[in-house]
Amino acid sequence: VNELKVTQSQLIQSEKLASLGELTAGIAHEIQNPLNFVNNFSEVSIELLEELKEAQADNKRQVGLEKELFDDLEQNLTKINFHGKRAESIVKNMLQHSRASRGGRQLTDINILADEYMHLAYHGLRAKDKNFTAVLKTSLDKNIPPIDAVPQDIGRVMLNIFNNAFYALAQKRKHDPDFQPIVSVVTLANENKYAEIKIRDNGDGIPEHIKGKIMQPFFTTKPTGEGTGLGLSLSYDIIVNGYGGRIDIDSVRDEFTEFVFTIPYS
């Protein structure tokens, strides 16, 4: 019995590390965008400062030109600040996700998590397959209040479901080069004080005979070595047992798969 518990613990840790690996690959690509903005606007700002020095050194100083340069410089610094904070937010999420111990609950913006983890999962797959592209759609309900939750818990659930969605789309595209992958995430403030998150892909769908099995521990449809079969099981445990929510699956063969999970809020 003890050996079984140790093995289960090791497999769960392996799944978490695999999930972290996917996240890290996504982080590396996602963070590049704001960093590019920071670098570019910094370089332009240095050039503006040089122009400003020249303008001030000119005996025929042009007040209008100086004001224009100051305005441009202010705009650039505002953009640098915005994209710097964006990069900081991404790194913060990564650190939260990678902590070995459970963090404390805190007021969490579900919409921010949904948007960021969709992009992180997408870039995580693109790190492996640069030819893969997909249309990403979001419809986020601003009426959802901050939810008392452990952000890395909810992030892990989203990452697992998004990873599965993009994996399914990548597999379908291998057999149909003209196929246009689409992933969408919709959030809704349910009237019963539940936040509802819907993650949908237009892949091959889930066969009816395995719908009831995919939440079971160690069940996976991926080839050997590509999945432990614990991702959805852990997700189910987090949402249902950890937060008193629920996870439902809707899927039509050859058309779509949609995971819907709900989390109560006060």
Side-chain angles (χ1 to χ4, degrees):
V1 176
N2 287 336
E3 287 182 5
L4 180 59
K5 287 182 177 179
V6 170
T7 302
Q8 287 177 333
S9 177
Q10 288 173 340
L11 284 168
I12 289 172
Q13 188 61 29
S14 172
E15 176 65 28
K16 289 180 178 179
L17 288 172
S19 177
L20 179 59
E22 297 275 356
L23 178 67
T24 304
I27 290 283
H29 284 71
E30 185 73 0
I31 206 171
Q32 194 62 51
N33 194 41
L35 287 179
N36 283 341
F37 276 109
V38 168
N39 291 335
N40 291 339
F41 283 121
S42 297
E43 290 172 6
V44 172
S45 296
I46 291 171
E47 292 174 6
L48 285 173
L49 282 172
E50 290 299 323
E51 289 183 42
L52 192 56
K53 286 179 183 177
E54 291 174 9
Q56 290 182 333
D58 193 337
N59 291 329
K60 299 176 183 178
R61 292 176 63 175
Q62 302 177 41
V63 177
L65 174 60
E66 288 183 12
K67 183 181 183 306
E68 184 181 331
L69 290 171
F70 273 121
D71 288 344
D72 288 345
L73 191 58
E74 183 179 17
Q75 288 179 15
N76 281 2
L77 291 173
T78 300
K79 290 173 181 175
I80 288 171
N81 181 258
F82 172 81
H83 290 289
K85 286 182 176 178
R86 167 70 177 145
E88 180 184 40
S89 170
I90 293 170
V91 171
K92 183 179 178 182
N93 277 342
M94 181 183 69
L95 292 174
Q96 286 180 332
H97 188 93
S98 63
R99 285 175 189 154
S101 59
R102 287 174 59 88
R105 290 198 178 204
Q106 63 189 64
L107 291 178
T108 301
D109 190 321
I110 292 296
N111 288 334
I112 289 177
L113 287 183
D115 183 66
E116 290 195 345
Y117 278 97
M118 177 170 69
H119 284 85
L120 292 174
Y122 176 55
H123 290 300
L125 179 59
R126 277 182 51 80
K128 298 177 184 176
D129 180 4
K130 291 181 172 57
N131 294 320
F132 177 80
T133 58
V135 174
L136 309 183
K137 297 182 177 181
T138 58
S139 178
L140 308 175
D141 189 346
K142 295 180 180 178
N143 293 318
I144 299 176
I147 293 176
D148 187 34
V150 181
Q152 59 266 43
D153 275 355
I154 309 304
R156 182 167 287 127
V157 172
M158 290 180 176
L159 190 65
N160 280 328
I161 296 175
F162 279 126
N163 280 343
N164 284 346
F166 286 117
Y167 177 86
L169 295 178
Q171 294 301 111
K172 183 173 182 177
R173 196 173 185 197
K174 287 179 181 178
H175 307 295
D176 181 3
D178 297 324
F179 167 63
Q180 176 59 70
I182 302 173
V183 172
S184 66
V185 58
V186 175
T187 62
L188 294 169
N190 190 294
E191 59 185 15
N192 296 321
K193 291 193 173 181
Y194 275 78
E196 191 171 88
I197 300 96
K198 301 179 179 180
I199 298 173
R200 183 184 180 110
D201 69 74
N202 64 334
D204 283 329
I206 301 171
E208 195 66 36
H209 69 281
I210 68 169
K211 277 185 185 177
K213 301 178 182 178
I214 61 174
M215 293 290 182
Q216 295 175 4
F218 312 117
F219 181 83
T220 180
T221 58
K222 295 178 182 177
T224 303
E226 289 193 29
T228 61
L230 281 172
L232 290 177
S233 174
L234 287 172
S235 298
Y236 182 89
D237 185 58
I238 289 170
I239 296 300
V240 178
N241 299 327
Y243 290 90
R246 59 180 293 162
I247 295 185
D248 295 301
I249 306 164
D250 186 15
S251 184
V252 174
R253 197 72 175 127
D254 298 323
E255 291 188 24
F256 73 91
T257 296
E258 183 175 74
F259 281 84
V260 182
F261 65 97
T262 57
I263 307 170
Y265 59 82
S266 54

